[in-house]
Amino acid sequence: MAEQAGNGEDDAVAEIEKKIIEAFEVFDHECNQTVDVREIGSIVRSLGCFPTEAELHELLAMVEEEEPTGYIHLEKFLPVMTKVLLDRSYRPIPEDVLLHAFEALDENKCGYITKEKLVKYLTEEGEPFTQEEMEDMLSTALDPETNTVRYRDYISVMTVDET
Amino acid sequence: MGSTIGTMGCSSSVADRRSEKAIRAAILIQNWYRFTMARLEMRRRYSLNIFQSIEYADEQDQLQLSNFFTFMLDHCTQPDSVSHIFTSPGVSQMLDEGLCLTEFEKKIDVPDSYYGPRLSFPLTVKDANALLHAFRNEQLLHARYVLQLLCETRRVLKEMPNITHLSTSYSKEITICGDLHGNLDDLLLIFYKNGLPSEQNRYVFNGDFVDRGKNSMEILIILFAFLLIYPNDLHLNRGNHEDYIMNLRYGFTKEVSKKYKDHGKQILCLLQDVFSWLPLATIIDSKVLILHGGISDTTDLDFLNALQRNKLKSLMRPPNSVRDTQHQGKERIPTTRPSKHIANQNVAGKTQHISSSGSTEPSGSHLPPDPALKEWKQILDILWSDPRSQNGCTPNKCRGGGCYFGPDVTAKLFEKYNLKMLIRSHEFKPEGYEISHNGKVITIFSASNYYEEGSNRGAYIKLNPELIPRFVQYQVSKYTRRQNLRERVGTIESSALKSLREKIYAHRSELTSAFAQYDLKGTGRISVNNWAEAMESVLQLELPWRMLQSQLAQMNPDGEIDFMSCFYDLKIGQPIKETQVQPALVETLCRYRKDLEIIFNVIDKDHSGLISLEEFSQTWKLFTSHLGIDADDESIDKLVLSIDYNKDGHIDFNEFLEAFHVVHRLEKKANS
């Protein structure tokens, strides 16, 4: 999304803050400026950031209360998140980079990855998927007839939503 | 160890590099996937927020109507034509006591051609099974049996106290269900999973059986039938939708009139009475309080237990004493809804509330204690309130009625009555239930797919003798194949955005002028920030406008919003093509279509669907002056005259108003 050409740095900051507050409030069911700590990932990512789980944990450590309550307060979250957006941390993953990543798992360069292989990589390596995440991904990604993932098609299906 | 196997070191470093590459690829894919899922979750949440905001805005409008009825009574030159809104209709005399059963048997013939279930009273389990079977096959119950059933139900309900006391010692578990809202499939699914009501399988249904869904009548018939068979084992609490004025807006009245053409009016009249006799709350083992909405800082269970509950046919009309007070001191309890221009300047006071407690206006201190008023407020609070995590008791500004109650209010009530848990319904919950106030308050909502296919699960509670709740969730699905998350969110989002666009279009002129205030150079473009502020100031839905912007309005390459683009592809339908109707008038009619429909239905005493031209224009003028709408009386008169097709001085207002809704020009495309 294009940033607004503000009249100055203050305007830009104010605009970013408003965006963050909006995203935060979507998850603030009781309108009391707090959200469940488990929602922070959704909020950060829906603001266009691509943090890894490790980076997300670092960020959480900064916004949590000294004695974690399970809830995050907007006043703690806002300055940290504003800085993230201003610094453009957690940069987006371009589509071609994503494609290369799938290709790296497709050793024979045949355009697809078998279900077993994909499950093995994504649930055992890196920042492993939970069972639920894996099943959910496969529900869209897997071609049930061949039991493979044609990743080019899958990427285009998934990115078409992002307008 | 690595140095001892030198030859292998080389190949293993290639393998290492390869696996390192794979790990990096995995992390990248995982990262990207979690990102897309988060975006999806955001879309799901804001879609539900859109549905809920629009729903609550609508409830506000509905509560505002009661103000208008009062206003109308004060200003109408022919008070007879409206006064019956406030007086109990002649139902009870017409359908009085005792003789009901045989009377209907004599008066209403059931033809041989009727192949639906035939009931004989007193009802047995066999009758209930026949009803379930018939409704699964989309049959109707004949009006005679409906009326007989309602009479019997009223007779049984009258015997019941306002607050029912149950004990778990008679059965292992008690099942508690929340809002059903005419969703018969949910009720059938609950019975399928959990068994039919019986002495061993006790149920409490916590209100809002009717409205919104297609099968409110069938749900009532099933619940009432089981109530008659097991009066000690199935319990019903009244919800805020068991109210005939609510039913005028939210579909139940229409459903009954459509299903029962000849006896619809009689059924509706009797239902007004039946609803008013529904108990208000249930208490299990003196510890668990079950009621539809919530509590306030003035909730008094002893008072609620003692009042005469059937006096309040509708909470939408405050008792006459409120009216008198308003008459004496208009500045204290305003009758009019502030026009949006005033609201813009004073966002804090964005609507008037009907609320008893926690209001900024301590009305009680000025007024002599009035029992009727107190009764109304007490019931309003328990049927309309919602829990919040902040302490205190404040007016429910989203819904416009009842209050928000905090953990301290709950704690105080629990202490006073030695309670342990409050189970309430009344609020949509994506998972079908929610626990708040540190486990003391449970919300249970049993209508799955409430806003849209896939929008939410329904749930019910199994409460065991230790009073530990267990939640059972479910979701009715019409698809044979389960949709995946992405498809489900897509469906919910497009449906939510469609309603939102309609709402936007109905405020077209206000929005246009709000945009124009920011567009000083007249370029037709404003910044995202200004656009978002204009949207919120006019619509007041508290939505994430900046996030929704790309779905609602076009952005130019320079990052500015082409503000008129949010009206593209929409228009308002009109009944008459050839007559030129003022656009502002069309918009007003579109926006207040539902209110006007209810008002005219109330005026139309004989339910003929017709009112006189004079009644129409007089009511219209009262309505617009009440709302402070700048309307051109001459042009509405002209419009109304032109739809009196047969020139008999009467118009079919339902048909007339039906035409004024927002049409999506590209409907076909969007649905494909």
Side-chain angles (χ1 to χ4, degrees):
Chain A
M1 197 187 291
E3 287 295 331
Q4 190 202 347
N7 298 333
E9 207 173 302
D10 288 349
D11 280 1
V13 171
E15 190 56 19
I16 283 173
E17 284 183 343
K18 278 180 188 151
K19 263 193 192 168
I20 296 169
I21 293 168
E22 261 192 5
F24 190 92
E25 283 176 348
V26 171
F27 290 86
D28 178 13
H29 308 301
E30 300 213 338
C31 313
N32 62 350
Q33 314 265 295
T34 60
V35 296
D36 192 305
V37 65
R38 287 165 295 184
E39 318 268 33
I40 288 293
S42 295
I43 296 170
V44 174
R45 289 175 171 125
S46 69
L47 286 163
C49 297
F50 283 67
T52 62
E53 290 292 280
E55 287 165 330
L56 199 59
H57 278 114
E58 283 169 27
L59 185 138
L60 269 180
M62 287 191 276
V63 298
E64 222 156 13
E65 304 296 308
E66 274 170 36
E67 295 210 0
T69 56
Y71 289 91
I72 300 297
H73 284 272
L74 178 63
E75 55 182 39
K76 281 253 188 178
F77 180 70
L78 187 59
V80 175
M81 195 62 214
T82 307
K83 189 168 181 326
V84 166
L85 289 183
L86 282 174
D87 296 352
R88 295 175 185 273
S89 319
Y90 318 141
R91 300 300 290 266
I93 298 171
E95 217 173 300
D96 59 322
V97 175
L98 179 67
L99 188 61
H100 284 313
F102 275 103
E103 280 169 353
L105 303 184
D106 173 19
E107 286 153 6
N108 306 323
K109 305 283 172 268
C110 41
Y112 62 83
I113 305 171
T114 62
K115 179 186 170 186
E116 291 68 33
K117 203 173 214 176
L118 189 71
V119 169
K120 188 178 174 312
Y121 277 122
L122 297 182
T123 57
E124 292 174 12
E125 304 290 351
E127 299 181 315
F129 273 171
T130 60
Q131 182 90 6
E132 198 189 343
E133 282 174 315
M134 195 65 241
E135 276 168 21
D136 215 79
M137 181 184 205
L138 289 174
S139 76
T140 305
L142 197 66
D143 173 1
E145 282 179 19
T146 58
N147 234 8
T148 58
V149 172
R150 298 205 157 264
Y151 48 83
R152 257 176 210 279
D153 297 347
Y154 174 59
I155 292 170
S156 63
V157 167
M158 294 301 280
T159 42
V160 81
D161 290 341
E162 299 291 321
T163 41
Chain B
M1 261 179 60
S3 61
T4 55
I5 34 174
T7 46
M8 289 199 45
C10 180
S11 68
S12 93
S13 82
V14 171
D16 275 354
R17 240 179 294 139
R18 195 183 290 157
S19 87
E20 199 181 302
K21 199 176 158 199
I23 292 171
R24 260 189 287 132
I27 291 178
L28 205 130
I29 293 169
Q30 286 154 345
N31 185 355
W32 164 80
Y33 184 75
R34 286 179 175 126
F35 172 84
T36 56
M37 286 302 109
R39 298 281 280 218
L40 211 54
E41 178 63 8
M42 178 58 89
R43 285 166 56 204
R44 189 177 75 92
R45 290 297 181 89
Y46 73 54
S47 300
L48 296 180
N49 285 4
I50 292 171
F51 281 126
Q52 201 158 23
S53 289
I54 292 177
E55 177 183 356
Y56 287 178
D58 203 50
E59 285 184 355
Q60 271 184 25
D61 291 348
Q62 175 71 1
L63 282 157
Q64 294 307 321
L65 259 187
S66 66
N67 279 341
F68 176 67
F69 287 144
T70 308
F71 180 83
M72 197 154 76
L73 202 58
D74 291 342
H75 292 84
C76 205
T77 49
Q78 302 156 284
D80 285 352
S81 67
V82 283
S83 59
H84 71 285
I85 306 164
F86 298 96
T87 52
S88 220
V91 211
S92 357
Q93 294 100 312
M94 191 177 77
L95 302 169
D96 217 11
E97 317 309 305
L99 295 169
C100 271
L101 274 186
T102 46
E103 211 172 278
F104 286 127
E105 204 167 327
K106 269 185 266 164
K107 275 191 188 154
I108 306 173
D109 262 343
V110 180
D112 293 337
S113 58
Y114 170 72
Y115 56 94
R118 290 169 185 265
L119 304 182
S120 58
F121 293 85
L123 293 183
T124 64
V125 180
K126 225 181 100 200
D127 292 301
N129 282 325
L131 287 170
L132 287 168
H133 180 79
F135 294 157
R136 261 188 228 113
N137 295 305
E138 296 181 23
Q139 289 176 349
L140 280 187
L141 181 65
H142 194 277
R144 183 220 274 178
Y145 302 121
V146 174
L147 287 162
Q148 286 183 314
L149 178 76
L150 294 178
C151 271
E152 283 296 282
T153 303
R154 180 174 64 179
R155 187 179 57 77
V156 169
L157 289 175
K158 274 181 164 178
E159 301 298 312
M160 297 185 167
N162 296 351
I163 300 177
T164 311
H165 284 264
L166 299 182
S167 157
T168 51
S169 60
Y170 298 111
S171 70
K172 286 199 295 275
E173 289 183 310
I174 296 178
T175 306
I176 300 130
C177 301
D179 299 25
L180 287 166
H181 279 308
N183 248 335
L184 182 63
D185 289 341
D186 286 309
L187 181 63
L188 295 177
L189 189 69
I190 293 168
F191 284 164
Y192 175 77
K193 285 172 79 95
N194 194 54
L196 294 176
S198 70
E199 278 128 353
Q200 286 76 43
N201 195 18
R202 302 202 289 169
Y203 278 92
V204 176
F205 287 92
N206 200 22
D208 280 14
F209 319 121
V210 301
D211 278 337
R212 303 186 195 279
K214 293 197 304 286
N215 293 102
S216 297
M217 197 64 230
E218 284 69 30
I219 286 185
L220 283 184
I221 292 168
I222 291 173
L223 294 179
F224 290 164
F226 278 111
L227 177 81
L228 294 182
I229 300 166
Y230 300 112
N232 299 314
D233 305 298
L234 183 130
H235 301 272
L236 304 173
N237 289 335
R238 189 177 183 178
N240 65 318
H241 279 268
E242 276 70 56
D243 181 315
Y244 74 97
I245 294 186
M246 289 293 279
N247 301 151
L248 283 167
R249 178 183 291 256
Y250 294 103
F252 182 48
T253 306
K254 263 192 192 149
E255 181 191 324
V256 175
S257 314
K258 227 165 108 188
K259 286 180 178 167
Y260 296 98
K261 294 213 165 55
D262 297 333
H263 297 96
K265 188 188 158 199
Q266 246 181 321
I267 292 173
L268 286 168
C269 282
L270 191 48
L271 270 169
Q272 284 188 26
D273 218 25
V274 173
F275 284 167
S276 71
W277 278 109
L278 285 168
L280 302 172
T282 307
I283 295 178
I284 298 178
D285 291 345
S286 311
K287 289 290 176 199
V288 180
L289 173 64
I290 307 172
L291 42 72
H292 181 71
I295 54 173
S296 74
D297 53 3
T298 56
T299 294
D300 181 340
L301 296 181
D302 301 320
F303 182 84
L304 279 165
N305 202 30
L307 57 79
Q308 199 191 331
R309 66 176 185 270
N310 70 310
K311 277 195 296 189
L312 276 160
K313 298 276 184 284
S314 173
L315 290 166
M316 296 292 106
R317 51 187 181 88
N320 288 345
S321 43
V322 174
R323 227 173 62 67
D324 298 340
T325 321
Q326 273 172 297
H327 219 56
Q328 290 154 14
K330 279 219 157 66
E331 70 286 353
R332 265 196 285 131
I333 306 174
T335 46
T336 51
R337 181 181 188 164
S339 81
K340 291 289 183 184
H341 297 293
I342 298 166
N344 286 350
Q345 294 153 16
N346 176 20
V347 180
K350 75 179 185 186
T351 39
Q352 302 303 315
H353 307 286
I354 306 183
S355 171
S356 62
S357 47
S359 68
T360 48
E361 201 71 49
S363 51
S365 58
H366 301 281
L367 303 170
D370 178 334
L373 185 62
K374 187 176 174 194
E375 286 171 3
W376 171 72
K377 285 171 166 181
Q378 285 279 328
I379 298 181
L380 187 75
D381 280 348
I382 62 167
L383 297 193
W384 277 86
S385 299
D386 295 317
R388 281 292 179 274
S389 62
Q390 298 99 311
N391 277 339
C393 191
T394 53
N396 196 325
K397 72 175 160 85
C398 289
R399 295 183 191 263
C403 66
Y404 293 130
F405 60 101
D408 57 330
V409 177
T410 302
K412 219 178 101 195
L413 188 93
F414 280 21
E415 196 184 332
K416 185 172 169 195
Y417 297 102
N418 194 18
L419 296 167
K420 207 183 123 177
M421 194 191 301
L422 168 64
I423 298 177
R424 43 87 61 179
S425 301
H426 193 44
E427 265 185 299
F428 166 88
K429 295 293 167 194
E431 292 301 313
Y433 72 94
E434 194 172 271
I435 301 171
S436 44
H437 292 185
N438 211 6
K440 290 199 178 94
V441 175
I442 295 174
T443 299
I444 190 77
F445 192 82
S446 301
S448 69
N449 306 312
Y450 179 62
Y451 289 125
E452 175 61 53
E453 179 77 22
S455 66
N456 67 295
R457 297 204 256 184
Y460 55 85
I461 300 173
K462 303 280 285 178
L463 199 65
N464 68 15
E466 283 78 51
L467 303 178
I468 313 274
R470 184 162 63 84
F471 300 95
V472 183
Q473 294 173 292
Y474 55 86
Q475 188 154 14
V476 172
S477 179
K478 66 178 178 200
Y479 296 108
T480 42
R481 184 181 68 88
R482 212 178 126 74
Q483 282 187 304
N484 66 33
L485 181 66
R486 210 177 53 81
E487 292 165 326
R488 283 206 308 275
V489 172
T491 312
I492 299 167
E493 186 187 33
S494 60
S495 164
L497 287 172
K498 192 176 163 205
S499 326
L500 183 57
R501 289 193 191 106
E502 286 166 14
K503 187 112 192 150
I504 289 169
Y505 199 81
H507 291 79
R508 184 185 162 125
S509 49
E510 272 178 86
L511 281 168
T512 308
S513 58
F515 294 145
Q517 281 180 5
Y518 292 109
D519 182 23
L520 299 175
K521 292 186 211 129
T523 57
R525 295 192 299 266
I526 53 177
S527 72
V528 177
N529 193 28
N530 291 342
W531 179 83
E533 269 163 24
M535 293 297 274
E536 183 57 31
S537 72
V538 172
L539 298 170
Q540 304 195 358
L541 293 170
E542 293 179 1
L543 290 173
W545 297 110
R546 289 164 186 81
M547 203 176 295
L548 295 170
Q549 171 269 315
S550 66
Q551 308 269 20
L552 298 174
Q554 289 168 11
M555 186 188 272
N556 289 0
D558 59 6
E560 292 203 310
I561 306 293
D562 169 5
F563 56 74
M564 292 309 279
S565 65
C566 56
F567 308 122
Y568 293 170
D569 301 331
L570 295 166
K571 63 185 171 92
I572 298 176
Q574 287 179 40
I576 318 130
K577 301 276 174 320
E578 54 281 8
T579 330
Q580 230 0 338
V581 190
Q582 244 192 334
L585 178 61
V586 174
E587 195 180 306
T588 307
L589 280 162
C590 174
R591 179 140 26 119
Y592 297 105
R593 180 168 58 102
K594 277 190 186 162
D595 291 306
L596 290 165
E597 208 177 304
I598 295 165
I599 294 164
F600 292 139
N601 267 305
V602 167
I603 293 175
D604 174 29
K605 267 180 285 186
D606 57 1
H607 295 258
S608 62
L610 299 171
I611 54 172
S612 71
L613 292 177
E614 195 193 338
E615 274 176 319
F616 186 102
S617 75
Q618 190 192 26
T619 311
W620 168 262
K621 278 163 201 163
L622 274 177
F623 186 68
T624 50
S625 77
H626 174 70
L627 290 174
I629 301 168
D630 204 9
D632 179 355
D633 292 340
E634 210 177 298
S635 79
I636 185 82
D637 287 346
K638 246 185 9 220
L639 178 62
V640 171
L641 262 176
S642 69
I643 56 162
D644 176 19
Y645 300 115
N646 54 4
K647 306 289 169 213
D648 66 349
H650 285 81
I651 61 164
D652 181 335
F653 56 88
N654 284 315
E655 195 182 311
F656 170 65
L657 291 171
E658 187 63 39
F660 293 94
H661 61 265
V662 180
V663 187
H664 297 250
R665 290 185 218 237
L666 301 172
E667 192 91 284
K668 280 167 286 164
K669 253 189 189 169
N671 285 346
S672 66

